[in-house]
Amino acid sequence: MPESERHLTLASASPRRRDLLARLGVEPAAVTPADIDETPRERELPREYALRMSREKAFAVEAPGFVLAGDTVVAAGRRILPKTQSEDEARRCLELLSGRRHDVLTSVVLRAPDGSVRERLNDNVVRFKSLSREEIDAYIAGGEWRGKAGGYAIQGTAEGLVQWIRGSHSGVMGLPLFETRALLKAAGFAIG
C-alpha cells in the first residue's frame, strides 16, 4: 500500500477529534491545526459557515496524503454561537440555551492525495433542561466552557444538563464517526 494511502493529517487542535478518530482505529500521522480566520460572514447561515470552516481548514494545511478537517457550530435558530472565550460569554450562551433546543452542526472535510474533496454535514438537535442560576454558576466554575462552541462540552458535566439529543453523540462532541468512516472508506483510506 502506498504511503499516501496511509498518511492522514488531522487539521485540528481538538484533542476530542483525535480521541474520536482513535475509536475508528485511526491514528493520524500528524496533527496540524489550521490557522484560519473563523469569523462568520455577515448573514452567513450556520450550515454554510460550518462547511466553509472545514473546507478552509482542509486547504490551509500543507501535508502529504489525506487531510481531515472538522468544525462544530452551535446555533440557536440562525444565530451562530461563539466558541466562548470568557465567563460572561459562556454565561450568555448557557442562558440562551436554557430550556430550549438548539442545533449542533459538525462538518467534516477530507482532502485526498489526488486532490479530490469529500465532505459531510452532521446535523443534531440538543435540548437543555431549564438551567437555574446555580447550575450555570457551577458549570462556569468548572471551566469546561473555555473555547467550546456554545459554551459547553457535551462529553463533560454538561451532559447532565441535556434532556435529549436527536442525532449523533460523537457529532455533538466534534467528529461524527459514521460520516467520518464513510468519507475515509470512500476515498480509499485504509480503515477496518
Side-chain angles (χ1 to χ4, degrees):
M1 178 181 301
E3 180 62 29
S4 64
E5 291 180 20
R6 293 190 314 258
H7 191 281
L8 175 75
T9 297
L10 179 60
S12 176
S14 168
R16 284 160 311 287
R17 285 198 180 101
R18 187 173 185 163
D19 292 345
L20 287 165
L21 201 52
R23 292 183 188 181
L24 295 176
V26 176
E27 178 66 32
V31 176
T32 308
D35 184 21
I36 63 168
D37 178 5
E38 296 191 37
T39 306
R41 295 176 178 156
E42 189 174 339
R43 290 192 284 271
E44 187 170 31
L45 296 174
R47 291 175 161 299
E48 287 77 23
Y49 173 71
L51 283 165
R52 180 174 66 84
M53 287 295 94
S54 288
R55 286 182 203 123
E56 287 185 13
K57 289 175 183 179
F59 283 96
V61 172
E62 292 293 325
F66 293 88
V67 176
L68 182 71
D71 196 69
T72 301
V73 174
V74 174
R78 297 167 58 104
R79 182 176 174 188
I80 297 168
L81 300 186
K83 292 180 180 168
T84 53
Q85 301 301 317
S86 71
E87 288 185 8
D88 287 343
E89 198 173 40
R91 183 177 306 283
R92 283 192 301 274
C93 287
L94 293 172
E95 288 170 351
L96 176 66
L97 299 176
S98 175
R100 69 182 287 185
R101 28 187 263 184
H102 58 279
D103 293 306
V104 180
L105 305 160
T106 298
S107 60
V108 183
V109 172
L110 180 68
R111 190 182 84 213
D114 66 4
S116 65
V117 176
R118 289 173 171 79
E119 60 186 41
R120 290 279 186 96
L121 181 70
N122 175 258
D123 189 350
N124 308 283
V125 180
V126 178
R127 181 180 171 91
F128 271 15
K129 68 182 281 311
S130 291
L131 303 174
S132 68
R133 181 182 177 104
E134 293 78 20
E135 288 171 318
I136 291 173
D137 289 345
Y139 188 75
I140 298 291
E144 285 180 351
W145 55 268
R146 285 184 178 86
K148 302 298 188 297
Y152 74 93
I154 196 151
Q155 69 275 12
T157 60
E159 190 166 11
L161 306 175
V162 172
Q163 282 186 321
W164 53 262
I165 297 174
R166 186 183 75 219
S168 163
H169 191 270
S170 63
V172 177
M173 285 176 63
L175 189 69
L177 295 182
F178 179 83
E179 289 85 348
T180 302
R181 183 177 189 277
L183 286 177
L184 290 167
K185 287 189 75 70
F189 183 82
I191 187 171

